[in-house]
């Protein structure tokens, strides 16, 4: 049976413990949240219309917390989507991860049930069935990065007839969202930082390409370091990653002794997302290596056995007892 990835690509709204095992299925469970981070809808695709949507009465600039009026009259039974501010970035596609700020409220009462602006932390989530309510999945597809999008989402493409009791959403409520699309990521995404000299001949060399393809990782014919190495290959200009955060990344991992790749998002065709605090219990060196590095960077991490799998490697794979592991990690986003 194929070994499950220890860096399973998961939606940002899920709290996961991604560990090695003998099964392809994940034991991840969704955290209870009023955010739009879970949907079990099997409804057909909606018809998209451009209104009605309530007026934004304050906070009208991109990435500024909006104030939204109460809905007037009956909302559309279709999915109403309006681009309030047109961005000039790349178009978002279904299956992409998006980084957004958002506010959600109920049409009939204007009661705000969730917003990311007050938390001062963007949401990073995948536009995929089962990861996000369908109103977002369909409504954001085709919109451009840098856009502010307002939606009025009927229950069919929201939380269905059961609603969301934690958020005070009834099964008959139409939801209004204002969403500022800050960025989007997919398997073609790469770190875009400034190249940093790799002058230590005793350490692996990592490619600096930014075309979304796997960078080369060349391991020297030398003994591996006994302490953790975490060096910039490309240094980004984003915020510093904290140990309490979750990161979205591209990565490639090879074994020092053989140079053999043991896992890679590039090979799997999907991005990876993990909570650093949970990765501490899987590959401690990887968690420690990305902590303190800037978003937008590519980082070389060399994890000695005591910060990797030590004497208990995953069964049936390329990693053996006592192996030092080498990672190239592109930190695309953090939340």
């Amino acid at each position: 049976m194929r070994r499950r990835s220890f860096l399973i690509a998961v939606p940002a709204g899920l709290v996961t413990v991604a560990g090695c095992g003998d099964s392809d299925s994940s034991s991840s469970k969704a955290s209870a949240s009023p955010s739009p981070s879970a949907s079990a809808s099997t409804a057909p695709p909606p018809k998209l219309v451009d209104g009605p949507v309530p007026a934004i009465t304050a906070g009208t600039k991109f990435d500024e917390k909006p104030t939204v009026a109460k809905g007037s009259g009956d909302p559309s039974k279709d999915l109403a989507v309006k681009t309030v501010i047109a961005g000039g970035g790349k178009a978002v596609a279904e299956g992409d991860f998006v980084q957004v700020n958002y506010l959600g409220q109920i049409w009939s009462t204007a009661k705000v049930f969730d917003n990311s602006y007050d938390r001062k932390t963007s949401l990073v989530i995948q536009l995929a069935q089962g990861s996000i309510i369908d109103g977002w999945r369909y409504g954001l597809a085709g919109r451009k990065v840098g856009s502010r999008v307002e939606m009025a989402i009927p229950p069919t493409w929201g939380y269905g007839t059961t609603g969301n009791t934690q958020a005070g959403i009834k099964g008959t409520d139409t939801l209004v969202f204002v969403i500022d699309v800050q960025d989007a990521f997919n398997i073609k995404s790469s770190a875009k930082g400034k190249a940093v000299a790799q002058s230590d001949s005793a350490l692996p060399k990592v490619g600096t390409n930014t075309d979304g393809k796997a960078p080369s990782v060349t391991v020297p014919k030398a003994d591996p370091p006994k302490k953790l190495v975490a060096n910039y290959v490309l240094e980004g200009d984003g915020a510093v990653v904290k140990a309490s955060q979750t990161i979205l990344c591209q990565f490639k991992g090879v074994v020092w002794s053989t140079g053999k790749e043991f896992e890679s998002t590039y090979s799997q065709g999907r991005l990876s997302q993990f909570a650093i605090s949970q990765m501490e219990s899987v590959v401690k060196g990887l968690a420690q290596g990305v902590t303190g590095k800037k978003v937008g960077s590519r980082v070389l991490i060399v994890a000695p056995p005591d910060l990797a799998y030590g004497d208990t490697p995953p069964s049936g794979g390329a990693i053996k007892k006592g192996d030092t592991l080498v990672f190239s990690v592109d930190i695309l986003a953090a939340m």
Side-chain angles (χ1 to χ4, degrees):
M1 189 173 293
R2 185 169 63 87
R3 182 176 61 88
R4 189 180 77 219
S5 166
F6 70 79
L7 287 178
I8 298 170
V10 296
L14 298 183
V15 177
T16 67
V17 180
C20 288
D22 295 325
S23 169
D24 289 338
S25 62
S26 172
S27 59
S28 307
K29 293 183 179 181
S31 61
S33 171
S35 73
S37 58
S39 175
S41 173
T42 56
K47 177 183 178 182
L48 269 61
V49 296
D50 59 7
V53 293
I56 299 174
T57 58
T60 57
K61 296 179 181 179
F62 181 83
D63 235 11
E64 183 179 19
K65 181 183 175 182
T67 300
V68 185
K70 178 181 174 181
S72 177
D74 293 329
S76 175
K77 296 188 181 302
D78 297 314
L79 177 58
V81 184
K82 180 181 179 181
T83 298
V84 181
I85 300 172
K90 59 188 173 185
V92 175
E94 185 173 352
D96 285 358
F97 284 82
V98 291
Q99 180 173 339
V100 301
N101 265 324
Y102 70 96
L103 178 141
Q105 67 183 46
I106 296 171
W107 173 282
S108 59
T109 63
K111 177 188 174 183
V112 175
F113 57 84
D114 191 24
N115 86 89
S116 64
Y117 301 92
D118 288 348
R119 291 192 293 270
K120 301 187 185 305
T121 301
S122 302
L123 174 70
V124 179
I125 199 160
Q126 189 177 24
L127 298 183
Q129 187 174 24
S131 301
I132 190 77
I133 57 173
D134 281 344
W136 277 49
R137 182 162 70 99
Y138 291 114
L140 288 182
R143 312 292 161 169
K144 293 184 176 181
V145 170
S147 295
R148 166 167 282 191
V149 180
E150 186 176 8
M151 302 184 196
I153 305 176
T156 301
W157 297 284
Y159 290 102
T161 56
T162 58
N164 184 316
T165 54
Q166 181 188 0
I169 298 170
K170 300 191 296 291
T172 56
D173 282 334
T174 288
L175 310 180
V176 176
F177 284 96
V178 175
I179 304 165
D180 290 323
V181 184
Q182 299 170 323
D183 213 337
F185 310 96
N186 56 36
I187 193 58
K188 296 180 180 179
S189 297
S190 290
K192 299 293 186 182
K194 181 180 179 181
V196 175
Q198 302 178 68
S199 55
D200 191 339
S201 61
L203 293 178
K205 299 294 186 295
V206 178
T208 57
N209 57 297
T210 58
D211 54 2
K213 296 180 180 179
S216 59
V217 178
T218 305
V219 180
K221 295 184 183 301
D223 292 335
K226 297 186 181 301
K227 294 184 178 180
L228 178 70
V229 174
N231 295 342
Y232 284 118
V233 176
L234 301 171
E235 185 174 358
D237 58 3
V240 169
V241 175
K242 300 175 183 178
S244 59
Q245 290 185 299
T246 293
I247 68 166
L248 178 70
C249 67
Q250 291 263 40
F251 82 96
K252 178 178 178 178
V254 304
V255 177
W256 181 290
S257 60
T258 63
K260 184 176 180 180
E261 178 183 303
F262 60 85
E263 194 170 357
S264 165
T265 54
Y266 306 96
S267 299
Q268 295 168 347
R270 57 180 183 174
L271 300 181
S272 183
Q273 190 166 3
F274 63 84
I276 295 172
S277 60
Q278 293 173 343
M279 184 51 64
E280 274 276 350
S281 64
V282 184
V283 182
K284 187 173 292 187
L286 182 58
Q288 294 178 2
V290 297
T291 303
K293 294 297 188 286
K294 298 174 185 176
V295 173
S297 299
R298 176 171 298 163
V299 183
L300 162 69
I301 298 171
V302 181
D306 62 318
L307 297 178
Y309 289 103
D311 292 336
T312 56
S315 60
I319 304 171
K320 306 303 179 186
K321 184 184 296 186
D323 270 337
T324 293
L325 304 183
V326 180
F327 295 92
S328 169
V329 183
D330 282 21
I331 305 171
L332 302 177
M335 63 171 289

